[in-house]
């Protein structure tokens, strides 16, 4: 019954997409929201099986590090602008041990992964909160599943949902590393990062994401493009757009006075 229902949903969505004339950059999301949760869980299980290439830092060995990150996530998703806190939870954050990559990414269903390279590169908790807010927005606004659907095709997503293709999840994991978001999705994720950090529970400067991009801009890429910019193309006026959104929101742009980011970085391996 479940198989038939999903197949009918697939056919209905394809027909709807044709009728609505939705464009390639912003395709209609085919699968229902609960499939984001299922797909995220399947992708995470596959990542756990890829410890040679994507080594996850053990929470048992570094409980304080993980608690620190979960506290940041909790402050961010206290925002009323979060759509799917109940469905996604947003307590699923994992650290990939790789000091050479300045990167972070989110999967459908609200799983967030951040590289030790990025954590050590950032200067403040405000900047980290801004980056995490950006990644949460990609999951919460369903940008990630939309980009996967665009790049890998709706049939592969249907295969994952139906459990018909054992290699489909592997393809999704590999695609996440090179996933290209549309310009409008990038702008929306930056906008919502500001809005998330402007909520009353947040102690962060609401334009924290701009601080990360300012550092990249001031220091240059060191001879190569940071991975984060490879998968999150810079539209050129990103810093200005984030700061403009902060001005529009009228939110606090003063740095967090109670954060202890340097102590957090000392705890990282």
């Amino acid at each position: 019954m479940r198989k038939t229902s999903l197949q009918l949903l697939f056919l209905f969505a394809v027909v709807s997409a044709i009728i609505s004339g939705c464009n390639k950059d912003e395709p209609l999301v085919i699968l229902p929201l609960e499939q984001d949760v299922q797909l995220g869980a399947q992708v995470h299980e596959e990542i756990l099986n890829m410890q040679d290439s994507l080594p996850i830092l053990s929470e048992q060995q570094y409980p304080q590090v993980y608690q620190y990150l979960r506290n940041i996530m909790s402050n961010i998703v206290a925002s009323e602008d979060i759509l799917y806190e109940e469905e996604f939870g947003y307590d699923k954050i994992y650290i990939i041990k790789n000091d050479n990559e300045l990167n972070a990414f989110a999967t459908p269903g609200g799983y967030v992964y951040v590289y030790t390279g990025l954590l050590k590169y950032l200067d403040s908790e405000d900047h980290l909160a801004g980056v995490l807010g950006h990644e949460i927005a990609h999951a919460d606004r369903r940008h990630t599943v939309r980009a996967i659907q665009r790049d890998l095709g709706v049939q592969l997503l249907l295969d994952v949902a139906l459990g018909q293709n054992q290699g489909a999840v592997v393809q999704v994991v590999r695609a996440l590393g090179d996933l290209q978001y549309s310009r409008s999705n990038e702008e929306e994720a930056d906008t919502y990062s500001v809005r998330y950090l402007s909520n009353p529970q947040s102690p962060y400067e609401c334009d924290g994401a701009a601080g990360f991009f300012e550092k990249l801009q001031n220091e240059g890429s060191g001879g190569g493009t940071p991975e984060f910019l490879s998968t999150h193309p810079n539209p050129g006026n990103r810093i200005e757009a984030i700061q403009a959104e902060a001005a529009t929101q009228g939110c606090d742009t003063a740095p967090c006075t109670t954060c202890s980011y340097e102590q957090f970085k000392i705890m990282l391996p």
Side-chain angles (χ1 to χ4, degrees):
M1 183 62 141
R2 177 173 173 272
K3 178 177 178 179
T4 301
S5 298
L6 281 172
Q7 288 173 327
L8 288 174
L9 174 66
F10 168 73
L11 291 172
F12 172 76
V14 170
V15 172
S16 298
I18 294 172
I19 293 174
S20 64
C22 93
N23 62 55
K24 183 180 179 181
D25 290 333
E26 301 296 341
L28 178 72
V29 177
I30 299 299
L31 296 180
L33 186 68
E34 55 265 27
Q35 292 301 324
D36 285 35
V37 178
Q38 178 183 321
L39 179 57
Q42 290 173 298
V43 165
H44 181 64
E45 286 301 312
E46 188 58 40
I47 288 176
L48 292 179
N49 293 327
M50 301 173 67
Q51 290 301 294
D52 289 341
S53 56
L54 294 171
I56 299 294
L57 212 63
S58 168
E59 184 170 356
Q60 290 184 331
Q61 288 184 276
Y62 299 96
Q64 291 178 302
V65 169
Y66 274 96
Q67 187 56 55
Y68 185 94
L69 293 179
R70 288 206 177 93
N71 287 341
I72 298 176
M73 296 281 282
S74 178
N75 288 333
I76 295 170
V77 300
S79 170
E80 293 182 354
D81 286 301
I82 294 289
L83 297 175
Y84 302 121
E85 182 183 6
E86 182 177 343
E87 293 85 354
F88 293 173
Y90 292 118
D91 58 348
K92 303 178 289 294
I93 184 166
Y94 300 91
I95 304 167
I96 297 174
K97 180 68 174 73
N98 186 333
D99 289 349
N100 297 319
E101 290 203 29
L102 307 182
N103 201 13
F105 63 89
T107 73
Y111 289 74
V112 177
Y113 301 82
V114 58
Y115 287 76
T116 53
L118 179 62
L119 294 174
K120 294 176 181 181
Y121 177 81
L122 293 170
D123 292 325
S124 75
E125 187 172 322
D126 300 272
H127 299 171
L128 175 57
V131 172
L132 292 179
H134 179 96
E135 294 304 328
I136 288 170
H138 278 319
D140 201 59
R141 312 304 295 187
R142 302 192 77 189
H143 299 162
T144 308
V145 71
R146 183 179 288 113
I148 293 171
Q149 175 184 296
R150 180 200 64 217
D151 290 353
L152 299 182
V154 292
Q155 184 60 55
L156 184 134
L157 281 182
L158 188 64
D159 287 347
V160 172
L162 296 174
Q164 291 185 333
N165 183 346
Q166 294 300 316
V169 179
V170 176
Q171 288 181 257
V172 172
V173 173
R174 289 174 178 168
L176 285 170
D178 299 310
L179 207 58
Q180 299 289 330
Y181 292 104
S182 70
R183 188 189 188 99
S184 62
N185 283 173
E186 285 297 337
E187 292 172 351
E188 187 174 41
D190 283 344
T191 294
Y192 276 93
S193 175
V194 174
R195 295 180 185 180
Y196 297 159
L197 268 58
S198 69
N199 83 77
Q201 184 174 312
S202 166
Y204 311 118
E205 51 183 318
C206 62
D207 60 350
F212 167 50
F213 292 115
E214 284 177 325
K215 182 172 183 178
L216 288 176
Q217 179 175 270
N218 292 337
E219 295 186 358
S221 61
T225 302
E227 187 65 22
F228 191 89
L229 292 185
S230 296
T231 55
H232 298 69
N234 194 331
N237 62 344
R238 190 167 218 167
I239 297 168
E240 293 82 359
I242 291 171
Q243 293 172 339
E245 178 63 24
T248 299
Q249 295 295 320
C251 50
D252 190 357
T253 57
C256 175
T257 58
T258 59
C259 299
S260 53
Y261 194 65
E262 290 305 317
Q263 293 180 6
F264 165 73
K265 290 203 287 187
I266 290 172
M267 293 189 291
L268 293 170

